[in-house]
Amino acid sequence: IPAPRHVILEDWVDHLDERWEGGRRSVALEMIGPVLDTPGHVFVQGPGAVYIIPAAAFDSPAEKQAFATNLEEMADKWASTLDGSDD
């Protein structure tokens, strides 16, 4: 079972950048799957991993919801650009 770890997750225009003590990973937004916003967490499906972001990482529930909505919209946009369905 994976253990929780303290990370810094940065939301860029075209990718998520995750940094932790001793490591770093960038995930292109087109590789992001569904984003689920729940009262306690935001769940983000990435390639081979699920990001679980606690609500406490956000200043407010509205900020959490905006992050989740924007991330899913941007991921869909990047994926449609790559598969040509953005016409």
Side-chain angles (χ1 to χ4, degrees):
I1 298 175
R5 64 179 169 204
H6 178 78
V7 302
I8 296 173
L9 185 65
E10 295 178 306
D11 180 13
W12 295 91
V13 174
D14 62 346
H15 69 280
L16 288 178
D17 195 36
E18 178 187 23
R19 291 181 285 132
W20 63 91
E21 186 175 329
R24 180 176 182 240
R25 171 175 44 186
S26 289
V27 178
L29 288 187
E30 63 268 17
M31 302 299 293
I32 298 293
V35 178
L36 177 61
D37 182 17
T38 70
H41 298 85
V42 174
F43 297 89
V44 179
Q45 178 65 55
V50 174
Y51 296 91
I52 303 171
I53 307 165
F58 301 93
D59 289 332
S60 69
E63 182 182 90
K64 181 175 68 66
Q65 182 179 22
F67 168 82
T69 299
N70 182 64
L71 181 59
E72 186 151 42
E73 287 173 357
M74 293 302 293
D76 289 346
K77 177 183 174 188
W78 278 100
S80 68
T81 300
L82 291 178
D83 71 15
S85 63
D86 193 35
D87 301 328

